[in-house]
Amino acid sequence: MRQRPTALSARVGRVAIQLLLVAGLVTAGGCSRKEPYVPPDLFYLFATYTVGKNPTSVTTADFNQDGLTDLITTNIGNSTLSVLFGYGDGTFKEQIQIEAGKEPRALALSDFNADGHVDVAVACSGSDQVAIFFGLANGTFGVGQRYAMHKIPVSIASGDVNGDHKSDLIVALRNDKVSILLGNGDGTFVEGARYEYGDTPTSLAVADLNQDGKLDLAVTNGGPMSSAVSIWLGNGDGTFRQPTDYRTGKRPLSVSFADFNNDQKTDLLVINGEMDTFTIFLGNGNGTFQEGKESGADSGPVYGFARDFNGDGFVDVAIVNVQSNDLSILFGRGDGTFQYPPINYRTKGGPFAIATLNLTTKHQDEEPGLVTANNGAGSISIFLHRGLKPHAPPVPPASS
């Protein structure tokens, strides 16, 4: 006859099951407990180079037409631009500084005079101007005209907004305005439409958001009464329709575009300056967007951009955080949400902007690097994707 278990043996059995549950060996349904997510460590800090005082933006281009990526920064602290010519492997020559208007904050690149060289338009917030610099064959710049802005230009973008195949300029002004400068094709501009709207614009970006072949605008409004991104649909003649606002996190600072859910429709990435968040808006393809989804970043996010860094077909996000002095990479799930935790890389003091850095490598499938503009340190930091090795004679980076 089968014996009934004693109270002691029953208690021992319960304890054993509890221990197995704690160890993750027994779970509901017979599956093992999921291991914590560990983000891939894809980048490493390769070099840091000195630029002007308090850089606020960094942009890449091939200024001297040697097929290699160069860098340019706006330095608001000493009113200069810094140009660094690249060797293609993450190393750069020593900076060349160019005197700009007072307190250059942001810039836009295009061939404004149709001579085949990259030109620069600079939003100078201290002198209430847009300054034009014309690219020359050797990578140097000639000084063009300056255009008065009223007042405090903080962000600038280029694109053909009136359909004449000439580059125009769109400027966000701190006093709740967006101003259009229409290009003549020879490097000069005429004043176009000006709109007063929003609450303390902080950034703008240009793209065809409703797929009608006409450029539209996304403008972040960082004032306490707004905290929204405004979508301005273009008419194709240099004018724009009444904007539609989408609520973001507190104090949005920058906006950029990507396709986070692989539906071939443009989505928005908005970086919020307060509460340490960023917001993803999935696009409907007609210039409208779904309600924003907030995600966490590190301390004091100020700027970000999207790219597939790990090659899984899903768009990821890179964000610089000015208070925690680091760069955060968050890996996308393909639906506008992200894996947590992010992986953080220490930068020099006060990272304020970030850009992707194309490198010349032997293997075409290798990922590019990243460059951060470090506002507090007066420098840029170069991050290389693991596996990329410098193959040109390295230039000793300047200390910062």
Side-chain angles (χ1 to χ4, degrees):
M1 184 175 177
R2 193 173 185 179
Q3 292 184 340
R4 297 179 62 184
T6 65
L8 176 61
S9 63
R11 186 164 59 251
V12 170
R14 287 195 300 269
V15 171
I17 291 174
Q18 290 171 355
L19 290 174
L20 288 172
L21 287 171
V22 171
L25 299 177
V26 176
T27 63
C31 297
S32 61
R33 176 175 292 179
K34 186 177 180 180
E35 292 295 323
Y37 172 74
V38 178
D41 184 9
L42 299 183
F43 293 94
Y44 66 98
L45 177 59
F46 172 64
T48 296
Y49 293 88
T50 297
V51 295
K53 186 176 180 181
N54 304 125
T56 54
S57 71
V58 58
T59 309
T60 63
D62 181 7
F63 293 114
N64 57 356
Q65 298 182 317
D66 62 354
L68 305 175
T69 300
D70 309 314
L71 299 174
I72 185 169
T73 67
T74 53
N75 310 311
I76 199 169
N78 65 342
S79 298
T80 64
L81 310 176
S82 290
V83 178
L84 296 89
F85 297 117
Y87 288 104
D89 64 344
T91 61
F92 292 84
K93 296 180 182 179
E94 186 177 349
Q95 65 166 326
I96 298 172
Q97 286 199 16
I98 301 170
E99 294 295 326
K102 187 177 180 182
E103 296 179 3
R105 186 175 183 86
L107 57 78
L109 303 180
S110 188
D111 183 2
F112 298 121
N113 58 355
D115 65 353
H117 305 306
V118 179
D119 307 317
V120 182
V122 185
C124 302
S125 59
S127 55
D128 296 334
Q129 292 177 325
V130 168
I132 306 298
F133 295 87
F134 296 118
L136 305 177
N138 58 358
T140 60
F141 293 89
V143 177
Q145 293 188 16
R146 301 190 176 213
Y147 298 89
M149 296 282 109
H150 185 73
K151 66 179 180 173
I152 313 179
V154 294
S155 185
I156 188 169
S158 64
D160 179 13
V161 298
N162 62 349
D164 64 355
H165 306 291
K166 301 170 185 176
S167 291
D168 309 310
L169 294 171
I170 309 94
V171 188
L173 307 175
R174 182 58 57 84
N175 64 337
D176 308 340
K177 293 183 177 65
V178 173
S179 185
I180 312 298
L181 294 174
L182 298 175
N184 295 316
D186 59 358
T188 63
F189 296 84
V190 296
E191 186 174 343
R194 177 174 292 184
Y195 301 93
E196 184 167 358
Y197 185 82
D199 180 14
T200 316
T202 52
S203 75
L204 61 81
V206 181
D208 181 3
L209 300 177
N210 58 352
Q211 302 177 20
D212 65 351
K214 303 168 185 177
L215 288 181
D216 310 307
L217 305 180
V219 182
T220 50
N221 296 285
M225 302 302 293
S226 179
S227 289
V229 58
S230 302
I231 303 301
W232 303 65
L233 297 181
N235 296 314
D237 59 358
T239 65
F240 295 85
R241 304 172 209 171
Q242 183 73 11
T244 300
D245 288 350
Y246 294 86
R247 191 74 176 176
T248 67
K250 288 190 175 181
R251 196 173 171 242
L253 296 178
S254 73
V255 59
S256 58
F257 305 116
D259 180 5
F260 290 103
N261 57 348
N262 290 338
D263 64 354
Q264 311 304 312
K265 300 172 184 176
T266 302
D267 307 319
L268 302 179
L269 165 64
V270 177
I271 308 299
N272 304 311
E274 293 184 7
M275 307 301 292
D276 303 335
T277 67
F278 64 97
T279 309
I280 302 297
F281 295 88
L282 297 179
N284 297 316
N286 59 358
T288 66
F289 294 85
Q290 300 173 29
E291 185 177 352
K293 299 178 181 178
E294 280 199 18
S295 299
D298 213 339
S299 181
V302 290
Y303 193 87
F305 76 92
R307 184 183 174 89
D308 180 7
F309 295 116
N310 60 353
D312 64 355
F314 301 143
V315 173
D316 313 310
V317 171
I319 298 175
V320 284
N321 307 289
V322 70
Q323 293 179 11
S324 51
N325 293 323
D326 61 7
L327 158 66
S328 297
I329 307 290
L330 297 99
F331 295 97
R333 294 191 178 105
D335 60 358
T337 65
F338 299 86
Q339 301 276 8
Y340 275 86
I343 187 165
N344 298 320
Y345 298 95
R346 194 74 175 172
T347 68
K348 299 297 181 180
F352 209 78
I354 186 173
T356 187
L357 178 63
N358 292 324
L359 303 176
T360 303
T361 67
K362 296 178 182 179
H363 305 290
Q364 295 300 315
D365 59 345
E366 288 181 318
E367 288 292 322
L370 302 172
V371 54
T372 64
N374 309 313
N375 183 270
S379 67
I380 57 170
S381 291
I382 308 298
F383 290 84
L384 296 188
H385 200 282
R386 294 194 182 278
L388 293 179
K389 304 297 181 183
H391 56 83
V395 177
S399 60
S400 60

